[in-house]
Amino acid sequence: MYEAFYGLSNKPFQLNPDPSFYFDSKQHRRAKAYLEYGVMRNEGFIVITGEVGAGKTTILRGLLDSLNRSDVVVGQLVTTQLDAEDTLRMVGAAFGFQVKGVTKSELLITLEAFLIGQASQGKRCLLVVDEAQNLSPRAVEELRMLSNYQLGTQALLQSFLVGQPEFREILQRPEMEQFRQRVAATCHIGPLDLEDTQHYIEHRLKCAGASGKPEFEADAFQAIFNASQGIPRRINAVCDRLLLLGYLNNKTLLTVADVDEVVKEFAREGGSSGSMPAPVAAGGRGLEPVGSMGDVDIDPSKLALSPEVADGISRQLDSLAAQQHGDRLQRLERSLLRLERINLETLSLMQRLVGALKPSADGSER
């Protein structure tokens, strides 16, 4: 809608991961280096964790796009709320096996034969597991057992596990000791700092063809950082709405006041979007979300409190309200992301089913 107004070739702040917009921040550069190191090592597990919207998928997609697919066979597992045996079946399906009605022993034999066959052709097999925090301990153990497959001294399967921060806590459990010994590298992607937040915004605008428009007031970057907490997807949500606001008001210079207006809009919407940023205003004070303790009208002047105590209580209430709302938004983001993954997996299975029902080249049924 606003692209022509700013002279942009496309939308700079779309919410879907796009490797062409990859921003090489300090943390993302480190995570990418770990993944590349893991690919070169060709064994064990590489664990990448980060908050929802931190850019894990963008890094992973960029890496997969850089691989020579004639040499690397990639299986992707995105639905992980399964028990151990179903996880194995999904691994088999990810590599194109028939898994319906197959016993676990038959599945393991087929998988091992497939891995050996690929290795004998000079190919490597890589399993990518997204949403790894949903894996049960038994499912993680099944994946660990798959890493035992070898041809001579060559590992037959390497795995990337990508998940949210709680997966790090899961790996610290005592029963995960054997798995931890198989982890070749692990990296956590945290939020961007203020400097990287500004560079991230400028980078995405440049990728979208920006040339002088839009402009940002110097303090606006601080306001966006406060509102998004440095999470790239939240930065995208704020900036997309911010550019829309500028377009509607016919202005190309975006200010702190504009950022605050956008954040207040999000707060009024009450968490209806999975991409909703945390409601923190430019000055760092939490905005009061609908239905939270922020709706309570308390006049400190009517209480027998000193101004210092009253002000302290007010700030603490604001902080608790913002934290409560932020937690609710994160749960919403995670639920929507899981739903998106399920939909993608369902579509993939349907495509395989349609492919299996098509007549073969000689006219016979498969």
Side-chain angles (χ1 to χ4, degrees), residues 225-242:
F225 173 72
N226 291 343
S228 65
Q229 299 178 352
I231 301 297
R233 189 179 298 166
R234 295 181 180 179
I235 296 172
N236 288 359
V238 172
C239 289
D240 182 66
R241 189 73 67 90
L242 188 60

Side-chain angles (χ1 to χ4, degrees), residues 13-15 23 25 27-28 49-56 164-165 188-194 196-198 200-201 204 221 223-239 274-278 326 329-330 333-334:
F13 298 108
Q14 58 185 339
L15 300 181
F23 173 65
S25 74
Q27 296 201 56
H28 290 81
T49 57
E51 294 287 352
V52 173
K56 304 183 298 295
Q164 295 170 23
H188 178 72
I189 304 175
L192 303 178
D193 59 22
L194 174 58
D196 272 341
T197 296
Q198 177 174 345
Y200 173 85
I201 294 169
R204 292 191 73 100
F221 292 109
I224 295 170
F225 173 72
N226 291 343
S228 65
Q229 299 178 352
I231 301 297
R233 189 179 298 166
R234 295 181 180 179
I235 296 172
N236 288 359
V238 172
C239 289
S275 63
M276 189 75 65
L329 294 176
Q330 283 199 358
E333 285 181 338
R334 291 168 182 169

Side-chain angles (χ1 to χ4, degrees), residues 133 135-138 140 166-180:
Q133 75 280 351
L135 290 168
S136 68
R138 290 186 61 241
V140 173
E166 50 265 41
F167 188 54
R168 302 172 74 192
E169 300 174 8
I170 293 172
L171 294 183
Q172 295 307 311
R173 296 175 182 173
E175 63 268 26
M176 293 289 105
E177 173 61 28
Q178 286 186 299
F179 178 84
R180 289 197 298 272

Side-chain angles (χ1 to χ4, degrees), residues 35 37 48 57 74 82 130 134 165 189 219 243 278 280 284 303 318 334 365:
L35 288 174
Y37 165 76
I48 302 293
T57 303
V74 179
L82 306 165
D130 208 348
N134 294 328
I189 304 175
D219 290 341
L243 265 60
V280 182
L303 301 176
D318 284 339
R334 291 168 182 169
E365 295 294 327

Side-chain angles (χ1 to χ4, degrees), residues 118-138:
Q118 296 301 311
S120 65
Q121 298 176 41
K123 297 183 179 182
R124 302 160 53 188
C125 290
L126 171 64
L127 176 66
V128 178
V129 182
D130 208 348
E131 297 298 303
Q133 75 280 351
N134 294 328
L135 290 168
S136 68
R138 290 186 61 241

